[in-house]
Amino acid sequence: MKKNLLMILMLFIIIGCQPSSSQKKEKVIKEKPVVNIQGKTLQTCVDTPKGYTRKKVKNNTFESFLRNYKLKKYGEPVLLYDGTKKSNQNAHIAVFKLPIENEDLQQCADSVIRIYAEYFYKTKQYSKISFQFVDGFKADYQKWLNGYRIKMNGNSFQWVKTKQYDTSYQSFQKYLRIVFAYASTLSLKEESKKIDKSKIQVGDIFIKAGSPGHVVMIVDMCQNKDNKKAYLLAQGYMPAQEFHLLKNNLHESDPWYYEDEITNSFDTPEYTFSKDDLRHLKYND
């Protein structure tokens, strides 16, 4: 009898030490990390958070262009225009392989202009490559490729025919250099319109215009079954530096900015914006 009781007691102890089925499940199921350090593009480097999905987009669209844009190897630093490291290396998740010239010109607004210009150039939508200077002058790339160049005449700009027709990338780079020299957050804001976050789309910006001002760009977006959205933000900055994907201060291992986090005032790693700074660029129409 005592032997049987002892066996029963031992059986209870053994059973008590075993995890329940729910405990077993918790051990097996691990949260998938949002950032994949092996990813080589925006889409493969940053997964959607649990419960969220990216919408399907067509090939050759701006959204597709951004999602498939090549990134530097994970962990690579953000470099300045002269090849030196940016002083703050704690603001980014990844660095875009977006070209940058070796002059202190391609700053925050210029980086937004460049990513749009590179897309339109790649897809041969030359008529859409047109950017405004601070004084309102329109720098149309179609004029440029037809051999016209921008000259200063007194206090204003004018087009002067000096070259032959040229769609080469080298000529395109020279065009962008002129744009970067005379565009800024002030002109970028003039080429945009204020929108509500319910209308937000990839390519929109949060911008505070000024000298200096700042701008960050929405480079990807996803949503859950309740239609709540989350966004990825990227920036260039001062001094001129590589375009990079930002961390979110609220959860460093997850770079998505969730819709409910975009309040009257919200922080990016190096700047503070508000929901009223959200604007839609006309380039994205």
Side-chain angles (χ1 to χ4, degrees), residues 207-223:
I207 185 169
K208 282 190 177 176
S211 299
H214 191 44
V215 58
V216 298
M217 182 185 201
I218 296 163
V219 291
D220 205 355
M221 188 166 66
C222 62
Q223 67 181 50

Side-chain angles (χ1 to χ4, degrees), residues 105-115 179-181 183-184 215:
L105 289 175
Q106 192 172 307
Q107 299 180 358
C108 60
D110 312 299
S111 295
V112 171
I113 288 170
R114 178 128 205 185
I115 199 78
V179 173
F180 297 162
S184 75
V215 58

Side-chain angles (χ1 to χ4, degrees), residues 158-267:
Q158 66 180 34
W159 289 103
V160 179
K161 174 79 171 178
T162 62
K163 304 287 184 180
Q164 300 299 313
Y165 182 84
D166 185 0
T167 60
S168 70
Y169 190 76
Q170 291 76 16
S171 177
F172 173 67
Q173 285 177 295
K174 291 177 181 178
Y175 160 80
L176 287 176
R177 184 191 177 281
I178 297 297
V179 173
F180 297 162
Y182 297 107
S184 75
T185 52
L186 292 167
S187 57
L188 201 66
K189 186 174 181 180
E190 287 299 311
E191 295 199 275
S192 65
K193 63 182 179 182
K194 188 175 178 180
I195 56 169
D196 183 79
K197 68 179 181 181
S198 63
K199 305 292 185 182
I200 204 167
Q201 63 187 59
V202 172
D204 290 340
I205 57 175
F206 288 96
I207 185 169
K208 282 190 177 176
S211 299
H214 191 44
V215 58
V216 298
M217 182 185 201
I218 296 163
V219 291
D220 205 355
M221 188 166 66
C222 62
Q223 67 181 50
N224 63 17
K225 63 181 181 180
D226 298 319
N227 294 321
K228 290 285 187 179
K229 297 181 178 67
Y231 324 105
L232 292 177
L233 304 181
Q235 70 171 20
Y237 211 21
M238 299 184 295
Q241 58 195 251
E242 294 175 307
F243 194 58
H244 50 280
L245 183 69
L246 290 170
K247 291 179 179 179
N248 186 330
N249 289 342
L250 299 179
H251 29 78
E252 281 202 356
S253 61
D254 177 0
W256 291 95
Y257 285 73
Y258 296 88
E259 185 175 331
D260 292 340
E261 296 171 350
I262 309 297
T263 58
N264 288 334
S265 177
F266 72 95
D267 293 329

Side-chain angles (χ1 to χ4, degrees), residues 21-31:
S21 59
S22 62
Q23 288 174 318
K24 286 181 180 178
K25 191 174 183 181
E26 286 175 3
K27 286 187 177 182
V28 172
I29 298 174
K30 290 185 178 181
E31 191 79 16

Side-chain angles (χ1 to χ4, degrees), residues 84 92 102 110 146 189 253 269:
T84 60
H92 70 284
N102 60 350
D110 312 299
N146 279 299
K189 186 174 181 180
S253 61

Side-chain angles (χ1 to χ4, degrees), residues 1-16:
M1 183 69 176
K2 287 182 179 180
K3 187 176 181 180
N4 289 339
L5 285 172
L6 182 61
M7 289 180 65
I8 292 170
L9 180 60
M10 289 181 68
L11 183 59
F12 273 117
I13 291 171
I14 291 169
I15 292 172

